Amino acid sequence: MKHSSIILFTTLLLCFNCSNEKFDNNITTGAVDDNITTPVVLEESSEPTYIKTMDFSSSIDYVSEIESFDIDNGYLYFDYQYNIYRINLEDDNATAELIIEDDEAPVTIKVINNQLYYQTYWPAFSSIKQLDVNNIAGGTQVTPVIDTPRSLLIKNDTNLYYVSSPNGLSPINNFYQFNTSGTDNLVATDEFVIPKNGKVIDNFLYFSSENNVHRIDLNSPSQGSSIVYTAEDIEDAIGNEGYILGFDIHEDKIYYSQIGSTNLYSFDLNTPTESPKIIQSNNNNTTGYSQLIIYNDVLYVKRLLDKQLEVFEI
Protein backbone atom coordinates (compact mmCIF):
# COMPACT_ATOMS: atom_id res chain seq x y z
CA MET A 1 0.00 0.00 0.00
CA LYS A 2 2.87 2.31 0.83
CA HIS A 3 4.32 1.95 -2.64
CA SER A 4 0.98 2.31 -4.40
CA SER A 5 0.15 5.50 -2.51
CA ILE A 6 3.52 7.06 -3.24
CA ILE A 7 3.40 6.19 -6.95
CA LEU A 8 -0.17 7.50 -7.25
CA PHE A 9 0.63 10.73 -5.37
CA THR A 10 3.76 11.31 -7.45
CA THR A 11 1.91 10.69 -10.70
CA LEU A 12 -0.91 13.06 -9.74
CA LEU A 13 1.51 15.76 -8.65
CA LEU A 14 3.36 15.52 -11.94
CA CYS A 15 0.13 15.51 -13.93
CA PHE A 16 -1.20 18.68 -12.32
CA ASN A 17 2.09 20.44 -12.90
CA CYS A 18 1.97 19.60 -16.58
CA SER A 19 0.96 22.06 -19.26
CA ASN A 20 -2.59 21.75 -20.59
CA GLU A 21 -1.25 22.11 -24.08
CA LYS A 22 -2.44 19.34 -26.42
CA PHE A 23 0.12 16.98 -27.93
CA ASP A 24 1.10 16.38 -31.54
CA ASN A 25 -0.06 13.04 -32.87
CA ASN A 26 3.29 12.20 -34.46
CA ILE A 27 4.45 9.47 -32.12
CA THR A 28 6.43 6.97 -34.14
CA THR A 29 7.90 3.55 -33.63
CA GLY A 30 11.64 2.98 -33.62
CA ALA A 31 14.46 4.71 -31.76
CA VAL A 32 14.29 8.19 -33.23
CA ASP A 33 16.21 10.02 -30.51
CA ASP A 34 19.94 10.22 -31.17
CA ASN A 35 20.52 9.97 -27.42
CA ILE A 36 18.90 6.54 -27.23
CA THR A 37 21.39 3.70 -27.19
CA THR A 38 20.52 0.10 -27.91
CA PRO A 39 20.42 -1.80 -24.58
CA VAL A 40 22.88 -4.61 -24.05
CA VAL A 41 21.46 -8.11 -23.55
CA LEU A 42 23.20 -9.68 -20.59
CA GLU A 43 24.98 -13.02 -20.86
CA GLU A 44 22.78 -14.56 -18.16
CA SER A 45 20.05 -15.19 -20.74
CA SER A 46 20.11 -16.12 -24.43
CA GLU A 47 16.43 -15.27 -24.88
CA PRO A 48 14.24 -13.29 -25.42
CA THR A 49 15.93 -11.43 -28.27
CA TYR A 50 15.93 -7.63 -28.29
CA ILE A 51 14.26 -6.26 -31.45
CA LYS A 52 13.91 -2.50 -31.12
CA THR A 53 12.87 0.45 -28.99
CA MET A 54 9.58 2.23 -29.61
CA ASP A 55 10.04 5.88 -28.79
CA PHE A 56 7.27 8.35 -27.92
CA SER A 57 9.39 11.20 -26.60
CA SER A 58 9.22 13.39 -29.71
CA SER A 59 5.52 13.98 -29.07
CA ILE A 60 5.02 13.18 -25.41
CA ASP A 61 7.67 15.40 -23.92
CA TYR A 62 6.06 16.27 -20.58
CA VAL A 63 7.00 14.71 -17.26
CA SER A 64 3.90 12.56 -16.66
CA GLU A 65 4.02 8.78 -16.90
CA ILE A 66 2.21 6.58 -19.38
CA GLU A 67 -0.17 5.03 -16.86
CA SER A 68 -1.22 1.89 -18.71
CA PHE A 69 -0.99 0.17 -22.09
CA ASP A 70 -2.52 -2.85 -23.81
CA ILE A 71 -2.48 -4.60 -27.21
CA ASP A 72 -5.35 -5.95 -29.31
CA ASN A 73 -5.71 -6.92 -32.98
CA GLY A 74 -2.34 -5.48 -33.95
CA TYR A 75 -2.76 -2.11 -32.20
CA LEU A 76 -1.01 -0.85 -29.10
CA TYR A 77 -3.19 1.39 -26.92
CA PHE A 78 -1.84 3.61 -24.16
CA ASP A 79 -3.13 6.39 -21.93
CA TYR A 80 -1.22 9.54 -21.17
CA GLN A 81 -2.54 12.41 -19.04
CA TYR A 82 -6.15 12.88 -20.27
CA ASN A 83 -5.80 11.06 -23.59
CA ILE A 84 -5.80 7.52 -24.97
CA TYR A 85 -3.84 6.80 -28.15
CA ARG A 86 -3.32 3.82 -30.42
CA ILE A 87 -0.51 2.79 -32.79
CA ASN A 88 -0.60 0.23 -35.58
CA LEU A 89 2.14 -2.26 -34.66
CA GLU A 90 2.19 -3.72 -38.17
CA ASP A 91 3.34 -0.42 -39.69
CA ASP A 92 6.90 0.58 -38.80
CA ASN A 93 6.13 4.15 -39.87
CA ALA A 94 2.85 4.40 -37.97
CA THR A 95 1.96 7.50 -36.02
CA ALA A 96 -0.16 7.62 -32.89
CA GLU A 97 -3.87 8.26 -33.29
CA LEU A 98 -5.68 10.11 -30.52
CA ILE A 99 -8.95 8.24 -29.93
CA ILE A 100 -10.20 9.52 -26.54
CA GLU A 101 -9.91 12.73 -24.58
CA ASP A 102 -11.27 12.28 -21.05
CA ASP A 103 -11.02 15.00 -18.40
CA GLU A 104 -11.44 12.36 -15.66
CA ALA A 105 -7.92 11.01 -16.38
CA PRO A 106 -7.68 7.37 -17.59
CA VAL A 107 -5.43 5.23 -15.40
CA THR A 108 -5.99 1.62 -16.44
CA ILE A 109 -7.02 0.22 -19.85
CA LYS A 110 -7.73 -3.15 -21.47
CA VAL A 111 -8.81 -3.92 -25.03
CA ILE A 112 -10.67 -7.09 -26.05
CA ASN A 113 -11.81 -7.72 -29.63
CA ASN A 114 -11.89 -4.00 -30.52
CA GLN A 115 -13.70 -3.05 -27.31
CA LEU A 116 -11.63 -0.66 -25.20
CA TYR A 117 -12.36 -0.64 -21.46
CA TYR A 118 -10.87 1.83 -19.03
CA GLN A 119 -11.24 3.35 -15.59
CA THR A 120 -10.50 6.93 -14.67
CA TYR A 121 -9.04 8.47 -11.54
CA TRP A 122 -11.97 10.86 -11.14
CA PRO A 123 -14.35 9.96 -9.65
CA ALA A 124 -12.39 7.26 -7.85
CA PHE A 125 -12.54 4.48 -10.46
CA SER A 126 -16.27 4.07 -9.74
CA SER A 127 -17.22 2.93 -13.25
CA ILE A 128 -15.89 1.17 -16.33
CA LYS A 129 -16.02 3.07 -19.60
CA GLN A 130 -16.30 1.16 -22.85
CA LEU A 131 -15.57 2.31 -26.40
CA ASP A 132 -15.93 0.42 -29.68
CA VAL A 133 -12.66 1.37 -31.39
CA ASN A 134 -14.29 0.67 -34.77
CA ASN A 135 -16.93 3.28 -33.95
CA ILE A 136 -15.09 5.99 -32.04
CA ALA A 137 -17.68 8.59 -33.03
CA GLY A 138 -20.28 6.56 -31.13
CA GLY A 139 -18.68 7.61 -27.84
CA THR A 140 -18.25 5.75 -24.57
CA GLN A 141 -20.68 3.64 -22.59
CA VAL A 142 -20.37 4.04 -18.82
CA THR A 143 -21.21 1.13 -16.48
CA PRO A 144 -20.96 1.36 -12.67
CA VAL A 145 -19.06 -1.40 -10.90
CA ILE A 146 -20.01 -3.23 -7.72
CA ASP A 147 -18.80 -1.70 -4.42
CA THR A 148 -15.45 0.16 -4.22
CA PRO A 149 -13.08 -0.59 -7.13
CA ARG A 150 -9.39 -1.31 -6.69
CA SER A 151 -8.46 0.23 -10.07
CA LEU A 152 -7.36 -3.03 -11.66
CA LEU A 153 -8.67 -4.43 -14.94
CA ILE A 154 -7.77 -8.00 -15.95
CA LYS A 155 -8.52 -9.88 -19.15
CA ASN A 156 -8.24 -13.07 -21.12
CA ASP A 157 -9.08 -13.45 -24.81
CA THR A 158 -12.82 -12.88 -24.34
CA ASN A 159 -13.63 -11.59 -20.85
CA LEU A 160 -12.90 -8.55 -18.71
CA TYR A 161 -12.48 -8.76 -14.94
CA TYR A 162 -12.16 -6.10 -12.25
CA VAL A 163 -11.43 -6.05 -8.52
CA SER A 164 -13.47 -4.27 -5.87
CA SER A 165 -14.03 -4.28 -2.13
CA PRO A 166 -17.06 -3.73 0.17
CA ASN A 167 -15.48 -0.41 1.16
CA GLY A 168 -12.21 1.42 0.83
CA LEU A 169 -10.81 0.09 4.13
CA SER A 170 -11.85 -3.54 3.81
CA PRO A 171 -9.14 -6.24 3.38
CA ILE A 172 -11.50 -8.22 1.13
CA ASN A 173 -10.88 -8.24 -2.62
CA ASN A 174 -13.68 -9.48 -4.85
CA PHE A 175 -12.85 -10.42 -8.45
CA TYR A 176 -15.82 -9.87 -10.78
CA GLN A 177 -16.37 -10.81 -14.40
CA PHE A 178 -17.66 -7.69 -16.10
CA ASN A 179 -21.02 -7.92 -17.87
CA THR A 180 -22.36 -4.89 -19.73
CA SER A 181 -25.79 -6.46 -20.25
CA GLY A 182 -26.47 -7.90 -16.80
CA THR A 183 -25.17 -8.54 -13.30
CA ASP A 184 -21.42 -8.89 -12.88
CA ASN A 185 -20.43 -12.40 -11.81
CA LEU A 186 -18.31 -12.82 -8.66
CA VAL A 187 -15.60 -15.32 -9.64
CA ALA A 188 -13.21 -15.23 -6.65
CA THR A 189 -12.45 -13.55 -3.33
CA ASP A 190 -9.13 -13.00 -1.61
CA GLU A 191 -8.10 -11.14 1.54
CA PHE A 192 -5.21 -9.06 2.85
CA VAL A 193 -3.48 -8.57 -0.49
CA ILE A 194 -3.09 -5.58 -2.80
CA PRO A 195 -3.89 -6.99 -6.27
CA LYS A 196 -1.94 -5.57 -9.22
CA ASN A 197 -1.07 -6.66 -12.77
CA GLY A 198 -3.71 -9.32 -13.36
CA LYS A 199 -3.78 -11.99 -16.07
CA VAL A 200 -6.23 -14.86 -16.71
CA ILE A 201 -4.79 -17.98 -18.36
CA ASP A 202 -7.01 -21.01 -18.85
CA ASN A 203 -8.73 -21.54 -15.47
CA PHE A 204 -6.24 -19.57 -13.42
CA LEU A 205 -6.28 -15.89 -12.47
CA TYR A 206 -2.85 -14.47 -11.70
CA PHE A 207 -2.01 -11.19 -10.00
CA SER A 208 0.93 -9.62 -8.19
CA SER A 209 0.91 -8.24 -4.67
CA GLU A 210 4.06 -6.57 -3.36
CA ASN A 211 6.86 -8.93 -4.49
CA ASN A 212 4.66 -12.04 -4.86
CA VAL A 213 2.85 -13.54 -7.84
CA HIS A 214 -0.43 -15.13 -6.72
CA ARG A 215 -2.74 -17.56 -8.50
CA ILE A 216 -6.43 -18.31 -8.00
CA ASP A 217 -7.88 -21.53 -9.37
CA LEU A 218 -11.18 -20.40 -10.88
CA ASN A 219 -12.44 -23.98 -10.58
CA SER A 220 -11.93 -23.78 -6.79
CA PRO A 221 -12.10 -20.05 -6.03
CA SER A 222 -13.20 -20.47 -2.40
CA GLN A 223 -9.66 -21.56 -1.52
CA GLY A 224 -8.32 -18.08 -2.25
CA SER A 225 -4.94 -17.48 -3.81
CA SER A 226 -1.66 -19.34 -3.53
CA ILE A 227 1.77 -17.83 -4.11
CA VAL A 228 3.50 -19.29 -7.15
CA TYR A 229 6.55 -17.05 -7.09
CA THR A 230 8.27 -14.60 -4.73
CA ALA A 231 10.72 -12.11 -6.20
CA GLU A 232 13.86 -11.13 -4.35
CA ASP A 233 13.59 -8.42 -1.69
CA ILE A 234 15.27 -5.36 -3.17
CA GLU A 235 14.82 -2.29 -1.00
CA ASP A 236 14.71 1.02 -2.82
CA ALA A 237 15.52 4.46 -1.47
CA ILE A 238 12.13 4.85 0.23
CA GLY A 239 11.85 1.36 1.67
CA ASN A 240 9.71 -0.47 -0.90
CA GLU A 241 11.08 -4.00 -0.98
CA GLY A 242 11.15 -5.30 -4.52
CA TYR A 243 7.51 -4.65 -5.36
CA ILE A 244 6.64 -6.09 -8.76
CA LEU A 245 5.79 -3.22 -11.10
CA GLY A 246 4.70 -5.30 -14.08
CA PHE A 247 4.47 -8.92 -15.13
CA ASP A 248 3.07 -11.26 -17.76
CA ILE A 249 3.15 -15.03 -18.27
CA HIS A 250 3.99 -16.99 -21.40
CA GLU A 251 4.40 -20.77 -21.64
CA ASP A 252 4.89 -21.18 -17.86
CA LYS A 253 7.45 -18.39 -17.66
CA ILE A 254 6.88 -15.25 -15.65
CA TYR A 255 8.41 -12.06 -17.08
CA TYR A 256 8.56 -9.20 -14.58
CA SER A 257 10.07 -5.93 -13.43
CA GLN A 258 10.70 -4.71 -9.88
CA ILE A 259 10.96 -1.40 -8.12
CA GLY A 260 14.51 -0.81 -6.97
CA SER A 261 15.99 -2.86 -9.83
CA THR A 262 17.16 -1.81 -13.29
CA ASN A 263 16.73 -5.38 -14.57
CA LEU A 264 14.06 -7.21 -16.54
CA TYR A 265 13.62 -10.79 -15.30
CA SER A 266 12.15 -14.15 -16.29
CA PHE A 267 11.36 -17.15 -14.09
CA ASP A 268 10.40 -20.64 -15.25
CA LEU A 269 7.60 -22.04 -13.08
CA ASN A 270 8.62 -25.56 -14.15
CA THR A 271 12.02 -25.18 -12.47
CA PRO A 272 11.15 -23.53 -9.14
CA THR A 273 14.54 -24.24 -7.54
CA GLU A 274 16.43 -22.22 -10.13
CA SER A 275 17.11 -18.50 -9.84
CA PRO A 276 15.40 -15.98 -12.11
CA LYS A 277 17.24 -14.99 -15.27
CA ILE A 278 18.17 -11.43 -16.13
CA ILE A 279 16.91 -10.73 -19.64
CA GLN A 280 17.98 -7.12 -19.91
CA SER A 281 19.39 -4.27 -17.88
CA ASN A 282 18.39 -0.67 -18.48
CA ASN A 283 21.95 0.56 -18.04
CA ASN A 284 21.31 3.98 -19.55
CA ASN A 285 18.50 4.75 -17.10
CA THR A 286 18.84 3.81 -13.46
CA THR A 287 15.07 3.79 -12.92
CA GLY A 288 14.57 0.39 -14.60
CA TYR A 289 11.31 -0.94 -16.07
CA SER A 290 7.60 -0.92 -15.24
CA GLN A 291 4.63 -2.48 -17.04
CA LEU A 292 4.99 -5.17 -19.68
CA ILE A 293 2.78 -7.11 -22.09
CA ILE A 294 3.23 -10.23 -24.21
CA TYR A 295 1.40 -10.31 -27.54
CA ASN A 296 1.93 -12.83 -30.36
CA ASP A 297 5.22 -14.07 -28.85
CA VAL A 298 6.54 -10.54 -28.54
CA LEU A 299 7.34 -8.88 -25.22
CA TYR A 300 6.75 -5.11 -24.85
CA VAL A 301 8.33 -3.50 -21.78
CA LYS A 302 7.83 0.06 -20.57
CA ARG A 303 10.90 1.91 -19.36
CA LEU A 304 10.08 3.48 -16.02
CA LEU A 305 9.83 7.29 -16.32
CA ASP A 306 10.78 7.14 -20.02
CA LYS A 307 8.52 7.49 -23.07
CA GLN A 308 9.87 4.29 -24.57
CA LEU A 309 9.02 0.60 -24.87
CA GLU A 310 11.68 -2.04 -25.39
CA VAL A 311 10.53 -4.88 -27.66
CA PHE A 312 11.73 -8.51 -27.51
CA GLU A 313 10.95 -11.70 -29.44
CA ILE A 314 10.33 -14.64 -27.11
Side-chain angles (χ1 to χ4, degrees):
M1 183 68 71
K2 178 179 179 183
H3 166 64
S4 300
S5 300
I6 292 171
I7 290 293
L8 179 58
F9 174 78
T10 303
T11 302
L12 287 173
L13 181 61
L14 291 173
C15 285
F16 284 113
N17 285 333
C18 291
S19 168
N20 290 327
E21 180 182 353
K22 300 300 180 182
F23 317 122
D24 296 331
N25 290 335
N26 61 345
I27 302 169
T28 59
T29 61
V32 299
D33 189 336
D34 290 337
N35 294 321
I36 297 174
T37 58
T38 301
V40 176
V41 179
L42 302 186
E43 294 181 357
E44 285 90 336
S45 175
S46 59
E47 57 179 353
T49 303
Y50 171 81
I51 301 175
K52 64 180 179 180
T53 295
M54 298 176 63
D55 181 63
F56 306 147
S57 58
S58 62
S59 295
I60 301 180
D61 55 357
Y62 300 100
V63 293
S64 295
E65 262 287 83
I66 293 173
E67 292 281 356
S68 178
F69 68 93
D70 196 20
I71 298 174
D72 179 67
N73 284 337
Y75 282 88
L76 184 145
Y77 297 80
F78 68 94
D79 63 73
Y80 181 79
Q81 289 199 329
Y82 301 102
N83 300 334
I84 297 178
Y85 300 86
R86 69 178 174 186
I87 297 175
N88 185 350
L89 293 175
E90 298 176 359
D91 182 356
D92 289 338
N93 297 315
T95 59
E97 175 189 6
L98 173 62
I99 60 173
I100 295 177
E101 295 181 78
D102 194 319
D103 293 337
E104 295 179 347
V107 293
T108 178
I109 65 175
K110 293 294 179 187
V111 192
I112 306 171
N113 295 327
N114 296 315
Q115 297 298 310
L116 186 150
Y117 304 91
Y118 68 101
Q119 289 178 294
T120 58
Y121 184 75
W122 308 109
F125 326 111
S126 60
S127 62
I128 292 176
K129 298 185 178 183
Q130 179 180 354
L131 175 71
D132 183 348
V133 297
N134 290 328
N135 182 26
I136 295 173
T140 57
Q141 173 183 340
V142 181
T143 306
V145 302
I146 298 173
D147 295 329
T148 303
R150 297 295 204 202
S151 183
L152 173 62
L153 298 181
I154 306 167
K155 75 172 187 178
N156 58 12
D157 292 337
T158 57
N159 297 311
L160 180 76
Y161 302 83
Y162 66 89
V163 185
S164 69
S165 178
N167 59 69
L169 299 178
S170 173
I172 297 174
N173 297 281
N174 292 319
F175 294 79
Y176 288 94
Q177 183 176 326
F178 185 60
N179 184 359
T180 57
S181 59
T183 303
D184 297 335
N185 180 36
L186 177 64
V187 296
T189 296
D190 210 352
E191 297 184 87
F192 298 102
V193 292
I194 306 172
K196 301 290 182 184
N197 301 301
K199 180 72 175 279
V200 175
I201 302 175
D202 297 328
N203 291 316
F204 293 99
L205 187 153
Y206 296 84
F207 65 90
S208 64
S209 179
E210 298 184 349
N211 64 328
N212 297 312
V213 176
H214 296 248
R215 183 175 72 181
I216 296 175
D217 186 344
L218 296 179
N219 289 328
S220 304
S222 61
Q223 297 180 9
S225 69
S226 59
I227 297 175
V228 297
Y229 178 64
T230 299
E232 180 184 1
D233 287 338
I234 303 174
E235 186 168 331
D236 70 356
I238 55 177
N240 295 303
E241 296 183 350
Y243 288 4
I244 293 174
L245 292 177
F247 87 91
D248 206 338
I249 299 176
H250 180 71
E251 296 182 351
D252 293 330
K253 283 188 179 181
I254 299 174
Y255 299 85
Y256 68 95
S257 61
Q258 285 182 270
I259 191 170
S261 172
T262 61
N263 296 328
L264 174 65
Y265 299 94
S266 71
F267 180 78
D268 192 337
L269 292 172
N270 294 318
T271 55
T273 59
E274 294 188 4
S275 299
K277 292 183 178 179
I278 299 174
I279 299 170
Q280 190 92 320
S281 181
N282 191 358
N283 291 321
N284 44 337
N285 188 333
T286 57
T287 56
Y289 300 97
S290 58
Q291 296 185 51
L292 52 92
I293 288 174
I294 296 170
Y295 177 78
N296 285 350
D297 297 328
V298 178
L299 171 64
Y300 299 82
V301 186
K302 171 70 175 59
R303 290 188 183 185
L304 186 63
L305 302 182
D306 280 340
K307 311 303 183 290
Q308 297 152 3
L309 301 180
E310 290 181 12
V311 185
F312 303 83
E313 183 178 9
I314 60 175

